[in-house]
Amino acid sequence: MDFVVDASHPALPGHFPGNPIVPGVVLLDHVIEAIEAAHGPLSSMRLPQVKFLQPLLPGERARVELDGAGGRWKFRVLRGGTLLASGEVAGGAE
């Protein structure tokens, strides 16, 4: 799933003033959105492992890649060929 975080996103003014980067929680929101689009709504979840490696700037295109099923997914968030974040989501379906 590809996505772009618009420069008008409400989380950007405070993260960081004058030099905005997309907060990690916004990246994770796109990861959850991708999981739910492919597997249905999650009633609960936990993130046993998450690493943020590179920043994403407003307006840049990124992609979520998922691997897994049955309540456990590994994810990667990439900008082109650059790994921005990776980790694991464990959750239950509604």
Side-chain angles (χ1 to χ4, degrees), residues 38-86:
H39 302 282
L42 298 174
S43 62
S44 63
M45 79 183 88
R46 57 190 183 85
L47 302 161
Q49 179 184 19
V50 176
K51 291 182 182 180
F52 297 102
L53 304 167
Q54 295 285 323
L56 179 66
L57 302 178
E60 292 183 324
R61 182 166 300 281
R63 180 177 73 252
V64 175
E65 294 181 348
L66 298 173
D67 182 33
R72 196 167 201 92
W73 299 272
K74 290 186 178 189
F75 70 86
R76 296 171 12 126
V77 180
L78 301 124
R79 178 187 58 236
T82 302
L83 181 62
L84 305 177
S86 65

